Amino acid sequence: QVQLEESGGGLVQAGGSLRLSCLVSGPIFNTYLMGWFRQSPGKERAFVAAISWSGGHTFYKDPVKGRFTVSRDNAKNTVSLQMNNLKPEDTAVYYCAVDPSGDGLEYNFWGQGTQVTVSS
């Protein structure tokens, strides 16, 4: 059973930066796709970025391209999301998730989420 634990959220002013981390425990396979999602009040949870565990291929949603960077450290079993030039609309609960098949269609394992608040 894969378990995920996010950390690094907080309150930051617009234009600032935060780095989220996701510690992955349990069995990890090279097929895994590691995703970051976010959910704002009154909105559905939305995809933000993803990275393949094996090859480091990255994927981003358009609103965060050029501002967010997803990375992984296989030795430390962590996935990170570096968020720069944050905007108030980035305010949300951010979740780390795993798609075991790697095709991006179904994320089966989720963390508890970490709050990111960007003030204007």
Side-chain angles (χ1 to χ4, degrees):
Q1 182 79 2
V2 177
Q3 293 183 322
L4 309 170
E5 182 176 1
E6 304 96 337
S7 61
L11 173 64
V12 64
Q13 290 187 334
S17 298
L18 280 175
R19 185 177 181 88
L20 306 183
S21 293
C22 176
L23 177 63
V24 186
S25 59
I28 300 174
F29 299 94
N30 286 335
T31 58
Y32 283 7
L33 183 66
M34 309 299 300
W36 285 97
F37 291 74
R38 65 186 182 187
Q39 187 168 22
S40 304
K43 295 185 178 180
E44 293 187 354
R45 189 158 50 189
F47 172 79
V48 174
I51 186 168
S52 63
W53 190 260
S54 60
H57 302 291
T58 57
F59 310 88
Y60 297 95
K61 197 69 174 177
D62 283 345
V64 307
K65 283 182 180 178
R67 300 189 298 123
F68 290 11
T69 302
V70 62
S71 61
R72 90 262 189 254
D73 185 332
N74 293 34
K76 295 182 179 180
N77 285 0
T78 59
V79 179
S80 298
L81 185 68
Q82 176 67 41
M83 306 185 294
N84 298 328
N85 190 22
L86 283 161
K87 304 176 181 180
E89 52 264 41
D90 294 319
T91 295
V93 178
Y94 283 72
Y95 298 90
C96 176
V98 174
D99 174 358
S101 68
D103 58 12
L105 297 180
E106 187 173 5
Y107 288 83
N108 299 114
F109 304 100
W110 295 83
Q112 82 288 351
T114 186
Q115 177 71 48
V116 171
T117 303
V118 184
S119 63
S120 57

